[in-house]
Amino acid sequence: MNIDDVIVSKTIFNRFSKEFPSYFDVDVAIAGGGPAGLVAAQFLAKKGKKVVLFERKLSIGGGMWGGGMTFPVIVVQKESKHLLEDAGIKIKEENQGYYSADAIESVVKLTAAAIDAGVKIFNTISVEDVLLTNGMVNGFVINWSAVEVAGLHVDPLTIRAKRCIDATGHPAEICNIVKRKVRPTSGPLCQDTLLVEGSMSACIGEKAVVDNTKEVYPGLYAAGMCANAVFGSHRMGPIFGGMLRSGRKTAELILEKLK
């Protein structure tokens, strides 16, 4: 077969230009492709919701890739292991209720599970602002991550969504945008003492990340480590059970609103 370079380029451009426009208006838009964002996206899509996920980096998976200190192993507890098993991830029972899994396998299979459920993932796209209508976050303002890194003044595009999720992890990027630009007068994003993450305490952090998963501003939900950052709770390192459960809880909260 004779390979034509231009045909290759046209194929890429044509497919992208056909697919992308269908995601300007969705049920749920998610910022951040870590474990919480992937699980939330998967469960929402399984329920028939149109879901788009934007990841600013080239790779999906957030901090899960590196396991603990680049040892590619993660830990979950008994209450969370089914969320890995449901994605076909092999887990190993250790002791006292701890289970281990391969970090690389976990990222790959959680990503595949989300895609198989119908989630559309766009990488190298950053969320630089929110769309606000009648006091409610109802979309994301997006741009290429390369534009942001280069510091270029290039106007963004807008995605409309019925509900939005901040799953950007420790930086809580979308919540910080709302706090800074919208300046809420009530709720968690209006308090100066919040959006400051606590030090390592897996016991506290794992419970808190599920408890803190909630709607933090009309239309905007905090999931995963973002939720703990918003409420000033502790980080928990390479145990990921709470992250997975937070993603599932976020999906359940949104499904209640989108009935």
Side-chain angles (χ1 to χ4, degrees), residues 75-141:
V75 173
V76 298
Q77 56 276 70
K78 183 178 180 180
E79 297 83 358
S80 308
K81 70 184 184 73
H82 69 282
L83 293 170
L84 294 180
E85 292 172 319
D86 289 347
I89 298 163
K90 298 182 289 291
I91 62 172
K92 179 182 177 183
E93 185 172 2
E94 302 294 350
N95 54 58
Q96 300 179 9
Y98 295 89
Y99 296 80
S100 65
D102 182 273
I104 310 303
E105 179 189 6
S106 298
V107 172
V108 171
K109 289 186 175 178
L110 285 174
T111 303
I115 293 171
D116 289 345
V119 179
K120 185 61 181 178
I121 298 175
F122 292 106
N123 60 345
T124 70
I125 292 181
S126 296
V127 178
E128 67 173 50
D129 202 350
V130 296
L131 181 63
L132 198 70
T133 304
N134 298 323
M136 181 172 181
V137 172
N138 69 326
F140 288 152
V141 180

Side-chain angles (χ1 to χ4, degrees), residues 165-179 184 186-198 205 208-209 211-217 220-236 246:
I165 300 174
D166 185 345
T168 60
H170 301 275
E173 294 170 14
I174 314 308
C175 291
N176 268 297
I177 289 170
V178 172
K179 179 181 175 67
S186 62
L189 301 186
C190 76
Q191 300 182 38
D192 293 335
T193 56
L194 301 182
L195 291 171
V196 179
E197 178 186 297
V209 75
D211 293 340
N212 291 334
T213 297
K214 58 187 69 176
E215 188 175 25
V216 293
Y217 189 84
L220 177 65
Y221 293 75
M225 195 57 223
C226 168
N228 274 6
V230 167
F231 288 94
S233 193
H234 297 271
R235 62 185 301 183
M236 64 288 275
S246 173

